[in-house]
Amino acid sequence: MDTLELKGKWNEMKGKVKQAHANLTDDDLEYEDGKDDELLGRIQKKLGKSRDEVIRWLKSL
């Protein structure tokens, strides 16, 4: 399973994510330390993509 290092970089990435998908709200993109899976799950649900697809997309930003 692919993983994503969010800690420290999320605030930068969050803006790019919102630009690409305006339907994602601030609540959807709320990051809490140690809760990466919850964040990825919310994004997955909104975009209708698999976890690995979401991770690859976020890494490409």
Side-chain angles (χ1 to χ4, degrees):
M1 183 182 298
D2 210 351
T3 59
L4 180 67
E5 287 292 321
L6 293 175
K7 190 174 183 176
K9 294 188 270 182
W10 183 242
N11 284 335
E12 293 174 29
M13 293 175 67
K14 187 174 166 178
K16 293 177 183 178
V17 169
K18 284 180 80 171
Q19 283 181 326
H21 292 281
N23 63 326
L24 291 169
T25 65
D26 286 334
D27 288 340
D28 294 330
L29 300 176
E30 185 66 33
Y31 174 74
E32 291 183 47
D33 208 20
K35 295 190 176 184
D36 298 12
D37 288 336
E38 288 181 25
L39 171 64
L40 293 172
R42 289 191 302 267
I43 294 172
Q44 256 183 277
K45 187 175 179 180
K46 279 281 186 133
L47 299 182
K49 296 182 184 242
S50 74
R51 177 185 171 85
D52 289 336
E53 287 175 313
V54 170
I55 289 172
R56 278 194 302 273
W57 173 64
L58 290 172
K59 282 185 172 185
S60 74
L61 296 175

